[in-house]
Amino acid sequence: MNTAEMAEGQYVRAKTAVWWDIENCQVPKGFDAHVIAQNIILALMEMNYCGPVSISAYGDTSGIAPAIQHALSSTGIALNHVPAGVKDASDKKILVDMLFWALDNPAPANFMLISGDRDFSNALHGLRMRRYNILLAHPRKASVPLIQAATTTWLWTSLLTGGSPLSQGKGSQRVANAKTSGNATSSPQNQYPDPPRPAGPSHVRQSYPNPDPSWNNAIPNAATPVASNMRPLCPNAARQLCPNAIRRHRQEKLAQALPLLIFLFVGLFLVSIKDIAMF
């Protein structure tokens, strides 16, 4: 009996990016590669993932039969050639592309990894802490930490035929609830409070003069120029942001990107340490 849970509401229509380590999870001999993309999408739809799907495969394409390459490319799978000779080169390429995709596609979104390599476990756990939904398809022999990072898991041989998942991942308790409740207390309206109102009857509306002389000259009976102790407004505020707003926007973007970049560097560092230890 399938014990995997269906997609949560916030992930139903979200994008799903599929990252396929084609060297770790190969196309079985004699299998029709034309149906793999369609079967992956069908398996996702069976779990109620109905958003746009992109599939990227990574590996040394020189070792893949031309007929299989053509079948994958013709069905919308992006083939990324990673030359052989460098240890874990495909894993590093996937990690970089995967985390840069996260920068351009904030949560909620779905990550599906097709691999059994534990080198991905740290990055997947970090992405899950950022409220991304993690899906995994793996060979029969796979890393336990990698499986624990996923909410739903498939055997690779089942996914490529459009089959059902094994079960919900062991690490399925989400941290999104805490983040969502924490973010609910702060709204955009609270970040820009109204200016203080002078004392007086509550029914009297106070006018705030615009400091731009061109505006005052263009409007008949315009208010007098702003007092020197008042904070001036930016001219043409309807068409451009104030310098402070631009600076605040850049700081917010940097704060969002920094944790993902840290996960990227940590993942690449661990892979490099592994290479040194094996050498």
Side-chain angles (χ1 to χ4, degrees), residues 19 24-25 44 111-117 120-121 124 133-139 142-156 159 165-167 169:
W19 311 90
N24 191 267
C25 294
L44 290 170
F111 276 86
M112 170 176 273
L113 176 68
I114 303 176
S115 179
D117 199 329
F120 296 104
S121 59
L124 293 188
N133 186 41
I134 306 301
L135 311 172
L136 176 68
H138 60 83
S143 166
V144 174
L146 185 70
I147 296 175
Q148 290 177 334
T151 57
T152 308
T153 60
W154 284 261
L155 281 177
W156 167 234
L159 179 68
L166 291 172
S167 64

PDB file of all heavy atoms in Angstrom, residues 19 24-25 44 111-117 120-121 124 133-139 142-156 159 165-167 169:
ATOM      1  N   TRP A  19      16.720  17.081 -11.371  1.00  0.00           N
ATOM      2  CA  TRP A  19      18.168  17.040 -11.572  1.00  0.00           C
ATOM      3  C   TRP A  19      18.596  15.570 -11.614  1.00  0.00           C
ATOM      4  O   TRP A  19      18.534  14.876 -10.614  1.00  0.00           O
ATOM      5  CB  TRP A  19      18.861  17.800 -10.447  1.00  0.00           C
ATOM      6  CG  TRP A  19      18.268  19.159 -10.220  1.00  0.00           C
ATOM      7  CD1 TRP A  19      17.244  19.481  -9.368  1.00  0.00           C
ATOM      8  CD2 TRP A  19      18.615  20.367 -10.895  1.00  0.00           C
ATOM      9  NE1 TRP A  19      16.947  20.809  -9.462  1.00  0.00           N
ATOM     10  CE2 TRP A  19      17.768  21.388 -10.380  1.00  0.00           C
ATOM     11  CE3 TRP A  19      19.565  20.699 -11.857  1.00  0.00           C
ATOM     12  CZ2 TRP A  19      17.847  22.700 -10.812  1.00  0.00           C
ATOM     13  CZ3 TRP A  19      19.641  22.009 -12.285  1.00  0.00           C
ATOM     14  CH2 TRP A  19      18.794  22.998 -11.757  1.00  0.00           C
ATOM     15  N   ASN A  24      24.811   7.923 -12.313  1.00  0.00           N
ATOM     16  CA  ASN A  24      24.431   7.168 -11.125  1.00  0.00           C
ATOM     17  C   ASN A  24      23.140   6.398 -11.348  1.00  0.00           C
ATOM     18  O   ASN A  24      22.954   5.310 -10.800  1.00  0.00           O
ATOM     19  CB  ASN A  24      24.301   8.120  -9.931  1.00  0.00           C
ATOM     20  CG  ASN A  24      24.160   7.402  -8.609  1.00  0.00           C
ATOM     21  OD1 ASN A  24      23.053   7.149  -8.163  1.00  0.00           O
ATOM     22  ND2 ASN A  24      25.290   7.074  -7.993  1.00  0.00           N
ATOM     23  N   CYS A  25      22.249   6.975 -12.130  1.00  0.00           N
ATOM     24  CA  CYS A  25      20.969   6.331 -12.464  1.00  0.00           C
ATOM     25  C   CYS A  25      20.857   6.288 -13.994  1.00  0.00           C
ATOM     26  O   CYS A  25      20.345   7.224 -14.614  1.00  0.00           O
ATOM     27  CB  CYS A  25      19.792   7.098 -11.851  1.00  0.00           C
ATOM     28  SG  CYS A  25      19.742   7.072 -10.050  1.00  0.00           S
ATOM     29  N   LEU A  44       4.757  12.448 -11.163  1.00  0.00           N
ATOM     30  CA  LEU A  44       4.552  13.650 -10.353  1.00  0.00           C
ATOM     31  C   LEU A  44       3.082  14.031 -10.295  1.00  0.00           C
ATOM     32  O   LEU A  44       2.557  14.397  -9.230  1.00  0.00           O
ATOM     33  CB  LEU A  44       5.382  14.800 -10.926  1.00  0.00           C
ATOM     34  CG  LEU A  44       6.902  14.697 -10.760  1.00  0.00           C
ATOM     35  CD1 LEU A  44       7.605  15.762 -11.586  1.00  0.00           C
ATOM     36  CD2 LEU A  44       7.285  14.819  -9.296  1.00  0.00           C
ATOM     37  N   PHE A 111      12.152  20.411  -5.661  1.00  0.00           N
ATOM     38  CA  PHE A 111      13.390  19.862  -6.184  1.00  0.00           C
ATOM     39  C   PHE A 111      13.249  18.346  -6.260  1.00  0.00           C
ATOM     40  O   PHE A 111      12.927  17.703  -5.258  1.00  0.00           O
ATOM     41  CB  PHE A 111      14.575  20.185  -5.275  1.00  0.00           C
ATOM     42  CG  PHE A 111      15.190  21.536  -5.508  1.00  0.00           C
ATOM     43  CD1 PHE A 111      14.683  22.661  -4.881  1.00  0.00           C
ATOM     44  CD2 PHE A 111      16.278  21.692  -6.342  1.00  0.00           C
ATOM     45  CE1 PHE A 111      15.246  23.900  -5.083  1.00  0.00           C
ATOM     46  CE2 PHE A 111      16.851  22.929  -6.556  1.00  0.00           C
ATOM     47  CZ  PHE A 111      16.332  24.037  -5.924  1.00  0.00           C
ATOM     48  N   MET A 112      13.500  17.764  -7.412  1.00  0.00           N
ATOM     49  CA  MET A 112      13.585  16.317  -7.527  1.00  0.00           C
ATOM     50  C   MET A 112      14.996  15.951  -7.955  1.00  0.00           C
ATOM     51  O   MET A 112      15.460  16.384  -9.019  1.00  0.00           O
ATOM     52  CB  MET A 112      12.576  15.750  -8.525  1.00  0.00           C
ATOM     53  CG  MET A 112      12.818  14.269  -8.829  1.00  0.00           C
ATOM     54  SD  MET A 112      11.590  13.504  -9.922  1.00  0.00           S
ATOM     55  CE  MET A 112      10.376  12.999  -8.684  1.00  0.00           C
ATOM     56  N   LEU A 113      15.671  15.168  -7.150  1.00  0.00           N
ATOM     57  CA  LEU A 113      17.006  14.677  -7.472  1.00  0.00           C
ATOM     58  C   LEU A 113      16.910  13.207  -7.856  1.00  0.00           C
ATOM     59  O   LEU A 113      16.257  12.420  -7.177  1.00  0.00           O
ATOM     60  CB  LEU A 113      17.940  14.848  -6.276  1.00  0.00           C
ATOM     61  CG  LEU A 113      19.350  14.292  -6.460  1.00  0.00           C
ATOM     62  CD1 LEU A 113      20.130  15.110  -7.492  1.00  0.00           C
ATOM     63  CD2 LEU A 113      20.100  14.285  -5.127  1.00  0.00           C
ATOM     64  N   ILE A 114      17.574  12.848  -8.946  1.00  0.00           N
ATOM     65  CA  ILE A 114      17.655  11.449  -9.364  1.00  0.00           C
ATOM     66  C   ILE A 114      19.105  11.027  -9.182  1.00  0.00           C
ATOM     67  O   ILE A 114      19.962  11.263 -10.039  1.00  0.00           O
ATOM     68  CB  ILE A 114      17.195  11.257 -10.819  1.00  0.00           C
ATOM     69  CG1 ILE A 114      15.766  11.770 -10.997  1.00  0.00           C
ATOM     70  CG2 ILE A 114      17.272   9.803 -11.225  1.00  0.00           C
ATOM     71  CD1 ILE A 114      15.259  11.715 -12.433  1.00  0.00           C
ATOM     72  N   SER A 115      19.400  10.439  -8.044  1.00  0.00           N
ATOM     73  CA  SER A 115      20.752  10.024  -7.709  1.00  0.00           C
ATOM     74  C   SER A 115      20.708   9.275  -6.378  1.00  0.00           C
ATOM     75  O   SER A 115      19.721   9.373  -5.631  1.00  0.00           O
ATOM     76  CB  SER A 115      21.697  11.229  -7.605  1.00  0.00           C
ATOM     77  OG  SER A 115      23.009  10.830  -7.263  1.00  0.00           O
ATOM     78  N   GLY A 116      21.786   8.564  -6.089  1.00  0.00           N
ATOM     79  CA  GLY A 116      21.900   7.904  -4.795  1.00  0.00           C
ATOM     80  C   GLY A 116      23.145   8.335  -4.055  1.00  0.00           C
ATOM     81  O   GLY A 116      23.518   7.727  -3.048  1.00  0.00           O
ATOM     82  N   ASP A 117      23.800   9.387  -4.544  1.00  0.00           N
ATOM     83  CA  ASP A 117      25.089   9.827  -4.011  1.00  0.00           C
ATOM     84  C   ASP A 117      24.892  10.694  -2.774  1.00  0.00           C
ATOM     85  O   ASP A 117      24.146  11.679  -2.816  1.00  0.00           O
ATOM     86  CB  ASP A 117      25.856  10.589  -5.091  1.00  0.00           C
ATOM     87  CG  ASP A 117      27.340  10.677  -4.793  1.00  0.00           C
ATOM     88  OD1 ASP A 117      27.711  10.719  -3.613  1.00  0.00           O
ATOM     89  OD2 ASP A 117      28.122  10.707  -5.758  1.00  0.00           O
ATOM     90  N   PHE A 120      25.081  14.857  -2.183  1.00  0.00           N
ATOM     91  CA  PHE A 120      23.985  15.829  -2.314  1.00  0.00           C
ATOM     92  C   PHE A 120      23.219  16.037  -1.011  1.00  0.00           C
ATOM     93  O   PHE A 120      22.383  16.934  -0.935  1.00  0.00           O
ATOM     94  CB  PHE A 120      22.991  15.364  -3.382  1.00  0.00           C
ATOM     95  CG  PHE A 120      23.573  15.296  -4.771  1.00  0.00           C
ATOM     96  CD1 PHE A 120      23.906  14.078  -5.336  1.00  0.00           C
ATOM     97  CD2 PHE A 120      23.786  16.442  -5.505  1.00  0.00           C
ATOM     98  CE1 PHE A 120      24.429  14.000  -6.612  1.00  0.00           C
ATOM     99  CE2 PHE A 120      24.315  16.387  -6.786  1.00  0.00           C
ATOM    100  CZ  PHE A 120      24.638  15.159  -7.339  1.00  0.00           C
ATOM    101  N   SER A 121      23.458  15.201  -0.014  1.00  0.00           N
ATOM    102  CA  SER A 121      22.598  15.221   1.174  1.00  0.00           C
ATOM    103  C   SER A 121      22.663  16.559   1.907  1.00  0.00           C
ATOM    104  O   SER A 121      21.633  17.083   2.349  1.00  0.00           O
ATOM    105  CB  SER A 121      22.973  14.072   2.118  1.00  0.00           C
ATOM    106  OG  SER A 121      24.330  14.166   2.516  1.00  0.00           O
ATOM    107  N   LEU A 124      20.628  19.200   0.005  1.00  0.00           N
ATOM    108  CA  LEU A 124      19.186  18.955   0.063  1.00  0.00           C
ATOM    109  C   LEU A 124      18.617  19.305   1.432  1.00  0.00           C
ATOM    110  O   LEU A 124      17.530  19.878   1.537  1.00  0.00           O
ATOM    111  CB  LEU A 124      18.883  17.498  -0.285  1.00  0.00           C
ATOM    112  CG  LEU A 124      19.178  17.061  -1.721  1.00  0.00           C
ATOM    113  CD1 LEU A 124      18.647  15.653  -1.962  1.00  0.00           C
ATOM    114  CD2 LEU A 124      18.570  18.025  -2.726  1.00  0.00           C
ATOM    115  N   ASN A 133      10.531  21.884  -1.238  1.00  0.00           N
ATOM    116  CA  ASN A 133      10.055  20.511  -1.117  1.00  0.00           C
ATOM    117  C   ASN A 133      11.021  19.602  -1.878  1.00  0.00           C
ATOM    118  O   ASN A 133      11.313  19.823  -3.048  1.00  0.00           O
ATOM    119  CB  ASN A 133       8.644  20.392  -1.689  1.00  0.00           C
ATOM    120  CG  ASN A 133       8.049  19.022  -1.464  1.00  0.00           C
ATOM    121  OD1 ASN A 133       8.200  18.435  -0.401  1.00  0.00           O
ATOM    122  ND2 ASN A 133       7.376  18.496  -2.471  1.00  0.00           N
ATOM    123  N   ILE A 134      11.520  18.555  -1.199  1.00  0.00           N
ATOM    124  CA  ILE A 134      12.562  17.698  -1.762  1.00  0.00           C
ATOM    125  C   ILE A 134      11.971  16.338  -2.132  1.00  0.00           C
ATOM    126  O   ILE A 134      11.394  15.648  -1.273  1.00  0.00           O
ATOM    127  CB  ILE A 134      13.727  17.502  -0.772  1.00  0.00           C
ATOM    128  CG1 ILE A 134      14.261  18.856  -0.303  1.00  0.00           C
ATOM    129  CG2 ILE A 134      14.827  16.668  -1.414  1.00  0.00           C
ATOM    130  CD1 ILE A 134      14.774  19.741  -1.412  1.00  0.00           C
ATOM    131  N   LEU A 135      12.115  15.967  -3.391  1.00  0.00           N
ATOM    132  CA  LEU A 135      11.708  14.668  -3.912  1.00  0.00           C
ATOM    133  C   LEU A 135      12.968  13.933  -4.370  1.00  0.00           C
ATOM    134  O   LEU A 135      13.931  14.558  -4.814  1.00  0.00           O
ATOM    135  CB  LEU A 135      10.723  14.829  -5.070  1.00  0.00           C
ATOM    136  CG  LEU A 135       9.548  15.775  -4.825  1.00  0.00           C
ATOM    137  CD1 LEU A 135       8.754  15.994  -6.108  1.00  0.00           C
ATOM    138  CD2 LEU A 135       8.641  15.241  -3.724  1.00  0.00           C
ATOM    139  N   LEU A 136      12.942  12.613  -4.273  1.00  0.00           N
ATOM    140  CA  LEU A 136      14.146  11.832  -4.572  1.00  0.00           C
ATOM    141  C   LEU A 136      13.798  10.543  -5.288  1.00  0.00           C
ATOM    142  O   LEU A 136      12.861   9.840  -4.900  1.00  0.00           O
ATOM    143  CB  LEU A 136      14.897  11.509  -3.269  1.00  0.00           C
ATOM    144  CG  LEU A 136      16.127  10.608  -3.392  1.00  0.00           C
ATOM    145  CD1 LEU A 136      17.257  11.337  -4.135  1.00  0.00           C
ATOM    146  CD2 LEU A 136      16.601  10.160  -2.007  1.00  0.00           C
ATOM    147  N   ALA A 137      14.549  10.260  -6.349  1.00  0.00           N
ATOM    148  CA  ALA A 137      14.511   8.949  -6.994  1.00  0.00           C
ATOM    149  C   ALA A 137      15.925   8.395  -6.940  1.00  0.00           C
ATOM    150  O   ALA A 137      16.881   9.092  -7.315  1.00  0.00           O
ATOM    151  CB  ALA A 137      14.028   9.059  -8.442  1.00  0.00           C
ATOM    152  N   HIS A 138      16.086   7.168  -6.479  1.00  0.00           N
ATOM    153  CA  HIS A 138      17.418   6.629  -6.223  1.00  0.00           C
ATOM    154  C   HIS A 138      17.490   5.160  -6.626  1.00  0.00           C
ATOM    155  O   HIS A 138      16.459   4.472  -6.712  1.00  0.00           O
ATOM    156  CB  HIS A 138      17.775   6.789  -4.741  1.00  0.00           C
ATOM    157  CG  HIS A 138      16.829   6.086  -3.810  1.00  0.00           C
ATOM    158  ND1 HIS A 138      16.922   4.739  -3.504  1.00  0.00           N
ATOM    159  CD2 HIS A 138      15.746   6.546  -3.128  1.00  0.00           C
ATOM    160  CE1 HIS A 138      15.963   4.405  -2.673  1.00  0.00           C
ATOM    161  NE2 HIS A 138      15.220   5.485  -2.423  1.00  0.00           N
ATOM    162  N   PRO A 139      18.682   4.641  -6.856  1.00  0.00           N
ATOM    163  CA  PRO A 139      18.831   3.202  -7.087  1.00  0.00           C
ATOM    164  C   PRO A 139      18.568   2.447  -5.786  1.00  0.00           C
ATOM    165  O   PRO A 139      18.389   3.050  -4.718  1.00  0.00           O
ATOM    166  CB  PRO A 139      20.283   3.065  -7.546  1.00  0.00           C
ATOM    167  CG  PRO A 139      20.972   4.265  -6.988  1.00  0.00           C
ATOM    168  CD  PRO A 139      19.955   5.365  -6.968  1.00  0.00           C
ATOM    169  N   ALA A 142      21.354   3.304  -1.861  1.00  0.00           N
ATOM    170  CA  ALA A 142      21.475   4.761  -1.794  1.00  0.00           C
ATOM    171  C   ALA A 142      21.880   5.181  -0.394  1.00  0.00           C
ATOM    172  O   ALA A 142      21.723   4.434   0.581  1.00  0.00           O
ATOM    173  CB  ALA A 142      20.164   5.430  -2.188  1.00  0.00           C
ATOM    174  N   SER A 143      22.392   6.396  -0.285  1.00  0.00           N
ATOM    175  CA  SER A 143      22.831   6.947   0.992  1.00  0.00           C
ATOM    176  C   SER A 143      21.642   7.221   1.912  1.00  0.00           C
ATOM    177  O   SER A 143      20.632   7.790   1.486  1.00  0.00           O
ATOM    178  CB  SER A 143      23.608   8.244   0.747  1.00  0.00           C
ATOM    179  OG  SER A 143      23.774   8.983   1.932  1.00  0.00           O
ATOM    180  N   VAL A 144      21.760   6.809   3.169  1.00  0.00           N
ATOM    181  CA  VAL A 144      20.690   7.040   4.139  1.00  0.00           C
ATOM    182  C   VAL A 144      20.466   8.525   4.399  1.00  0.00           C
ATOM    183  O   VAL A 144      19.321   8.987   4.406  1.00  0.00           O
ATOM    184  CB  VAL A 144      20.986   6.282   5.457  1.00  0.00           C
ATOM    185  CG1 VAL A 144      19.952   6.644   6.533  1.00  0.00           C
ATOM    186  CG2 VAL A 144      20.986   4.781   5.216  1.00  0.00           C
ATOM    187  N   PRO A 145      21.514   9.353   4.626  1.00  0.00           N
ATOM    188  CA  PRO A 145      21.272  10.785   4.810  1.00  0.00           C
ATOM    189  C   PRO A 145      20.572  11.425   3.619  1.00  0.00           C
ATOM    190  O   PRO A 145      19.771  12.347   3.777  1.00  0.00           O
ATOM    191  CB  PRO A 145      22.677  11.366   5.007  1.00  0.00           C
ATOM    192  CG  PRO A 145      23.490  10.230   5.509  1.00  0.00           C
ATOM    193  CD  PRO A 145      22.940   9.016   4.826  1.00  0.00           C
ATOM    194  N   LEU A 146      20.854  10.938   2.422  1.00  0.00           N
ATOM    195  CA  LEU A 146      20.199  11.477   1.239  1.00  0.00           C
ATOM    196  C   LEU A 146      18.708  11.168   1.258  1.00  0.00           C
ATOM    197  O   LEU A 146      17.876  12.027   0.984  1.00  0.00           O
ATOM    198  CB  LEU A 146      20.844  10.890  -0.024  1.00  0.00           C
ATOM    199  CG  LEU A 146      20.357  11.446  -1.358  1.00  0.00           C
ATOM    200  CD1 LEU A 146      20.823  12.878  -1.543  1.00  0.00           C
ATOM    201  CD2 LEU A 146      20.846  10.578  -2.509  1.00  0.00           C
ATOM    202  N   ILE A 147      18.351   9.940   1.609  1.00  0.00           N
ATOM    203  CA  ILE A 147      16.942   9.542   1.671  1.00  0.00           C
ATOM    204  C   ILE A 147      16.204  10.326   2.750  1.00  0.00           C
ATOM    205  O   ILE A 147      15.053  10.726   2.579  1.00  0.00           O
ATOM    206  CB  ILE A 147      16.825   8.026   1.916  1.00  0.00           C
ATOM    207  CG1 ILE A 147      17.411   7.258   0.715  1.00  0.00           C
ATOM    208  CG2 ILE A 147      15.387   7.608   2.153  1.00  0.00           C
ATOM    209  CD1 ILE A 147      17.451   5.758   0.904  1.00  0.00           C
ATOM    210  N   GLN A 148      16.892  10.573   3.873  1.00  0.00           N
ATOM    211  CA  GLN A 148      16.252  11.300   4.971  1.00  0.00           C
ATOM    212  C   GLN A 148      15.960  12.757   4.624  1.00  0.00           C
ATOM    213  O   GLN A 148      15.121  13.389   5.256  1.00  0.00           O
ATOM    214  CB  GLN A 148      17.138  11.233   6.211  1.00  0.00           C
ATOM    215  CG  GLN A 148      17.196   9.847   6.837  1.00  0.00           C
ATOM    216  CD  GLN A 148      18.137   9.787   8.021  1.00  0.00           C
ATOM    217  OE1 GLN A 148      19.085  10.569   8.111  1.00  0.00           O
ATOM    218  NE2 GLN A 148      17.905   8.858   8.924  1.00  0.00           N
ATOM    219  N   ALA A 149      16.632  13.303   3.626  1.00  0.00           N
ATOM    220  CA  ALA A 149      16.393  14.696   3.241  1.00  0.00           C
ATOM    221  C   ALA A 149      15.118  14.861   2.431  1.00  0.00           C
ATOM    222  O   ALA A 149      14.623  15.978   2.278  1.00  0.00           O
ATOM    223  CB  ALA A 149      17.585  15.227   2.438  1.00  0.00           C
ATOM    224  N   ALA A 150      14.577  13.769   1.897  1.00  0.00           N
ATOM    225  CA  ALA A 150      13.440  13.849   0.976  1.00  0.00           C
ATOM    226  C   ALA A 150      12.110  13.651   1.694  1.00  0.00           C
ATOM    227  O   ALA A 150      12.019  12.901   2.675  1.00  0.00           O
ATOM    228  CB  ALA A 150      13.585  12.809  -0.133  1.00  0.00           C
ATOM    229  N   THR A 151      11.073  14.309   1.187  1.00  0.00           N
ATOM    230  CA  THR A 151       9.723  14.085   1.694  1.00  0.00           C
ATOM    231  C   THR A 151       9.084  12.864   1.035  1.00  0.00           C
ATOM    232  O   THR A 151       8.275  12.178   1.653  1.00  0.00           O
ATOM    233  CB  THR A 151       8.843  15.316   1.435  1.00  0.00           C
ATOM    234  OG1 THR A 151       8.843  15.598   0.026  1.00  0.00           O
ATOM    235  CG2 THR A 151       9.368  16.525   2.166  1.00  0.00           C
ATOM    236  N   THR A 152       9.435  12.620  -0.227  1.00  0.00           N
ATOM    237  CA  THR A 152       8.882  11.483  -0.959  1.00  0.00           C
ATOM    238  C   THR A 152       9.986  10.860  -1.798  1.00  0.00           C
ATOM    239  O   THR A 152      10.793  11.586  -2.399  1.00  0.00           O
ATOM    240  CB  THR A 152       7.723  11.916  -1.880  1.00  0.00           C
ATOM    241  OG1 THR A 152       6.766  12.666  -1.108  1.00  0.00           O
ATOM    242  CG2 THR A 152       7.032  10.708  -2.489  1.00  0.00           C
ATOM    243  N   THR A 153      10.045   9.531  -1.834  1.00  0.00           N
ATOM    244  CA  THR A 153      11.116   8.837  -2.540  1.00  0.00           C
ATOM    245  C   THR A 153      10.555   7.801  -3.499  1.00  0.00           C
ATOM    246  O   THR A 153       9.529   7.168  -3.227  1.00  0.00           O
ATOM    247  CB  THR A 153      12.068   8.135  -1.549  1.00  0.00           C
ATOM    248  OG1 THR A 153      11.324   7.182  -0.780  1.00  0.00           O
ATOM    249  CG2 THR A 153      12.713   9.142  -0.604  1.00  0.00           C
ATOM    250  N   TRP A 154      11.234   7.643  -4.625  1.00  0.00           N
ATOM    251  CA  TRP A 154      10.928   6.602  -5.607  1.00  0.00           C
ATOM    252  C   TRP A 154      12.176   5.748  -5.819  1.00  0.00           C
ATOM    253  O   TRP A 154      13.302   6.249  -5.669  1.00  0.00           O
ATOM    254  CB  TRP A 154      10.586   7.204  -6.963  1.00  0.00           C
ATOM    255  CG  TRP A 154       9.255   7.820  -7.156  1.00  0.00           C
ATOM    256  CD1 TRP A 154       8.161   7.270  -7.749  1.00  0.00           C
ATOM    257  CD2 TRP A 154       8.852   9.161  -6.806  1.00  0.00           C
ATOM    258  NE1 TRP A 154       7.111   8.160  -7.780  1.00  0.00           N
ATOM    259  CE2 TRP A 154       7.514   9.330  -7.218  1.00  0.00           C
ATOM    260  CE3 TRP A 154       9.518  10.228  -6.185  1.00  0.00           C
ATOM    261  CZ2 TRP A 154       6.817  10.514  -7.017  1.00  0.00           C
ATOM    262  CZ3 TRP A 154       8.824  11.398  -5.984  1.00  0.00           C
ATOM    263  CH2 TRP A 154       7.495  11.542  -6.398  1.00  0.00           C
ATOM    264  N   LEU A 155      11.999   4.513  -6.191  1.00  0.00           N
ATOM    265  CA  LEU A 155      13.080   3.773  -6.812  1.00  0.00           C
ATOM    266  C   LEU A 155      13.210   4.272  -8.248  1.00  0.00           C
ATOM    267  O   LEU A 155      12.200   4.516  -8.918  1.00  0.00           O
ATOM    268  CB  LEU A 155      12.797   2.271  -6.801  1.00  0.00           C
ATOM    269  CG  LEU A 155      13.043   1.516  -5.485  1.00  0.00           C
ATOM    270  CD1 LEU A 155      12.649   0.060  -5.640  1.00  0.00           C
ATOM    271  CD2 LEU A 155      14.503   1.628  -5.058  1.00  0.00           C
ATOM    272  N   TRP A 156      14.420   4.392  -8.725  1.00  0.00           N
ATOM    273  CA  TRP A 156      14.625   4.901 -10.075  1.00  0.00           C
ATOM    274  C   TRP A 156      13.926   4.018 -11.111  1.00  0.00           C
ATOM    275  O   TRP A 156      13.319   4.510 -12.050  1.00  0.00           O
ATOM    276  CB  TRP A 156      16.115   5.012 -10.357  1.00  0.00           C
ATOM    277  CG  TRP A 156      16.491   5.220 -11.791  1.00  0.00           C
ATOM    278  CD1 TRP A 156      17.364   4.476 -12.533  1.00  0.00           C
ATOM    279  CD2 TRP A 156      16.007   6.248 -12.663  1.00  0.00           C
ATOM    280  NE1 TRP A 156      17.465   4.977 -13.805  1.00  0.00           N
ATOM    281  CE2 TRP A 156      16.630   6.073 -13.919  1.00  0.00           C
ATOM    282  CE3 TRP A 156      15.106   7.302 -12.518  1.00  0.00           C
ATOM    283  CZ2 TRP A 156      16.381   6.896 -15.018  1.00  0.00           C
ATOM    284  CZ3 TRP A 156      14.848   8.124 -13.605  1.00  0.00           C
ATOM    285  CH2 TRP A 156      15.480   7.921 -14.831  1.00  0.00           C
ATOM    286  N   LEU A 159      10.283   5.106 -11.038  1.00  0.00           N
ATOM    287  CA  LEU A 159       9.982   6.433 -11.549  1.00  0.00           C
ATOM    288  C   LEU A 159      10.030   6.479 -13.073  1.00  0.00           C
ATOM    289  O   LEU A 159       9.177   7.097 -13.714  1.00  0.00           O
ATOM    290  CB  LEU A 159      10.966   7.457 -10.977  1.00  0.00           C
ATOM    291  CG  LEU A 159      10.774   8.891 -11.463  1.00  0.00           C
ATOM    292  CD1 LEU A 159       9.474   9.476 -10.930  1.00  0.00           C
ATOM    293  CD2 LEU A 159      11.957   9.777 -11.048  1.00  0.00           C
ATOM    294  N   PRO A 165       5.620   6.180  -5.640  1.00  0.00           N
ATOM    295  CA  PRO A 165       6.762   6.292  -4.723  1.00  0.00           C
ATOM    296  C   PRO A 165       6.755   5.186  -3.687  1.00  0.00           C
ATOM    297  O   PRO A 165       5.739   4.513  -3.471  1.00  0.00           O
ATOM    298  CB  PRO A 165       6.572   7.665  -4.089  1.00  0.00           C
ATOM    299  CG  PRO A 165       5.114   7.939  -4.203  1.00  0.00           C
ATOM    300  CD  PRO A 165       4.661   7.278  -5.470  1.00  0.00           C
ATOM    301  N   LEU A 166       7.902   5.018  -3.037  1.00  0.00           N
ATOM    302  CA  LEU A 166       8.009   4.016  -1.982  1.00  0.00           C
ATOM    303  C   LEU A 166       7.176   4.421  -0.780  1.00  0.00           C
ATOM    304  O   LEU A 166       6.305   3.701  -0.327  1.00  0.00           O
ATOM    305  CB  LEU A 166       9.480   3.849  -1.569  1.00  0.00           C
ATOM    306  CG  LEU A 166      10.406   3.198  -2.589  1.00  0.00           C
ATOM    307  CD1 LEU A 166      11.843   3.295  -2.100  1.00  0.00           C
ATOM    308  CD2 LEU A 166      10.011   1.738  -2.794  1.00  0.00           C
ATOM    309  N   SER A 167       7.487   5.573  -0.231  1.00  0.00           N
ATOM    310  CA  SER A 167       6.801   6.058   0.963  1.00  0.00           C
ATOM    311  C   SER A 167       7.236   7.479   1.190  1.00  0.00           C
ATOM    312  O   SER A 167       8.125   8.002   0.507  1.00  0.00           O
ATOM    313  CB  SER A 167       7.144   5.200   2.187  1.00  0.00           C
ATOM    314  OG  SER A 167       8.532   5.305   2.480  1.00  0.00           O
ATOM    315  N   GLY A 169       9.314  10.301   2.965  1.00  0.00           N
ATOM    316  CA  GLY A 169      10.667  10.273   3.500  1.00  0.00           C
ATOM    317  C   GLY A 169      10.682  10.249   5.014  1.00  0.00           C
ATOM    318  O   GLY A 169       9.781  10.729   5.689  1.00  0.00           O
TER     319      GLY A 169
END
